[in-house]
Amino acid sequence: MSYGANVTYRYDGSFNGLMTAVYKAISSKKMPENIISEEDSQTILFHEEEVVSDEEISSKMQKYIREKISFDALDNIRRCYFSNAKEKEMLILKYILLGKKYGRKVDTMLSVDAVITMFKVVKRFSNEANFYREFLRFTENEGVLSSVIEPENFVLPYIVYHYEQRIGNLDFLIYDKTHKVALIHKDKHSDIVFIDDFSLPEADDKERFYRELWKGYYNIIGIKERYNEKLRMNLMPKKYWKHMTEFEDMFGSNKENKKCLMG
């Protein structure tokens, strides 16, 4: 594939839309200058071409990736898509082109910039998703569990299964403050919907009681002689603390401190 298209593809921001744009680029055999979403407001220096999302083309593209490259490659691409990586669309296109040429061997080509960058993006995304399985805290109000998170990447699709398995018999809501979306689980069914804003309900007496129990447990199991602040921050990054019940006193009581539900 050669450069020279002098065109920027703009897609609707969906994964199907991105796969359609990738298919268009591969079919034309010319590398676009860039692929951007509808929300991207960057200045366009080249001709802009709108890509209409096509679910059938997207399905064919995903099937091609699974069969000609690997299932792992498609998973890497999805995680990259949900990440906040800059120019992730072009990274995905370059990664797929390498996979088209070398097949499943692409993931062993660690001297190639696109492969190295893809692995770094996927690792950073996966680490954050894992943290939100471990460090997420819920508040209970009238039988519904609620939580607020502020992830850098869009991790909700990658933590929903975990919480469905852990507490799927209860109704729960996880609000992603960064991306203004919420995972709503009700009657054993989950949906991710756009919500402009959400505030946790005020803690009632029962909720405050459980918070104090958790903080007491957290303090009791700590071994003073083995206290290691640096290690704690490595294992439990500080950016998660303000939404964790055990650090409530450090940040002051507020609606975003939650009862613990260990992930």
Side-chain angles (χ1 to χ4, degrees):
M1 179 178 284
S2 63
Y3 281 90
N6 290 335
V7 62
T8 291
Y9 292 148
R10 187 181 290 274
Y11 72 109
D12 62 4
S14 68
F15 188 71
N16 283 339
L18 176 57
M19 289 293 98
T20 306
V22 167
Y23 176 84
K24 187 178 181 68
I26 293 175
S27 299
S28 71
K29 297 183 180 180
K30 290 184 178 181
M31 182 75 79
E33 296 297 333
N34 206 352
I35 302 175
I36 60 176
S37 70
E38 285 180 345
E39 298 177 352
D40 199 318
S41 60
Q42 66 175 280
T43 301
I44 306 301
L45 300 178
F46 301 93
H47 170 67
E48 182 179 311
E49 189 172 320
E50 182 178 355
V51 175
V52 178
S53 180
D54 188 311
E55 188 173 345
E56 184 177 351
I57 288 177
S58 174
S59 296
K60 289 180 179 178
M61 194 70 229
Q62 292 177 64
K63 182 181 179 182
Y64 176 86
I65 294 167
R66 289 194 303 269
E67 294 179 352
K68 299 299 182 180
I69 309 176
S70 68
F71 279 90
D72 287 343
L74 182 58
D75 185 52
N76 288 339
I77 290 164
R78 283 187 170 277
R79 289 173 188 261
C80 183
Y81 163 75
F82 285 119
S83 78
N84 68 340
K86 293 181 179 180
E87 299 187 351
K88 60 187 178 183
E89 292 88 355
M90 288 301 291
L91 173 61
I92 288 171
L93 174 57
K94 292 174 183 177
Y95 178 73
I96 291 174
L97 288 173
L98 285 167
K100 182 174 180 290
K101 184 175 182 179
Y102 297 103
R104 64 176 58 251
K105 290 194 299 183
V106 64
D107 287 336
T108 67
M109 301 168 61
L110 300 181
S111 61
V112 179
D113 288 344
V115 177
I116 296 172
T117 303
M118 175 64 76
F119 275 24
K120 287 180 178 178
V121 169
V122 169
K123 182 178 180 180
R124 185 162 50 84
F125 175 91
S126 300
N127 285 344
E128 184 171 48
N130 287 334
F131 279 133
Y132 277 111
R133 294 186 189 103
E134 298 171 357
F135 300 147
L136 192 146
R137 305 294 185 252
F138 284 98
T139 285
E140 182 178 2
N141 184 270
E142 297 183 357
V144 177
L145 298 173
S146 304
S147 180
V148 174
I149 62 175
E150 295 185 59
E152 295 177 5
N153 303 285
F154 186 45
V155 299
L156 279 183
Y158 280 81
I159 66 174
V160 56
Y161 179 76
H162 173 79
Y163 288 106
E164 283 177 339
Q165 296 301 303
R166 290 297 304 273
I167 53 174
N169 59 320
L170 299 174
D171 294 340
F172 64 86
L173 180 152
I174 303 173
Y175 180 63
D176 180 342
K177 191 173 181 179
T178 306
H179 302 92
K180 306 296 183 184
V181 295
L183 166 62
I184 299 175
H185 181 84
K186 184 174 176 60
D187 298 328
K188 299 183 180 181
H189 178 75
S190 298
D191 285 303
I192 295 178
V193 299
F194 288 98
I195 297 180
D196 287 334
D197 197 15
F198 172 79
S199 296
L200 289 173
E202 290 284 359
D204 57 20
D205 290 341
K206 180 181 178 182
E207 173 65 24
R208 284 192 288 269
F209 172 72
Y210 279 114
R211 289 183 185 182
E212 292 305 315
L213 280 181
W214 171 247
K215 285 190 283 186
Y217 171 76
Y218 176 82
N219 292 328
I220 288 173
I221 63 171
I223 301 174
K224 185 177 179 180
E225 290 75 17
R226 295 185 179 180
Y227 181 79
N228 186 326
E229 181 71 8
K230 184 176 180 180
L231 178 61
R232 180 172 72 164
M233 285 192 290
N234 285 337
L235 299 177
M236 188 187 293
K238 211 165 185 177
K239 67 178 182 179
Y240 300 100
W241 290 11
K242 70 175 180 177
H243 293 298
M244 299 178 69
T245 307
E246 51 267 50
F247 299 111
E248 186 176 48
D249 296 334
M250 182 182 299
F251 292 94
S253 179
N254 60 68
K255 292 182 180 180
E256 290 185 353
N257 292 119
K258 308 162 192 64
K259 181 177 69 177
C260 171
L261 180 75
M262 294 302 291

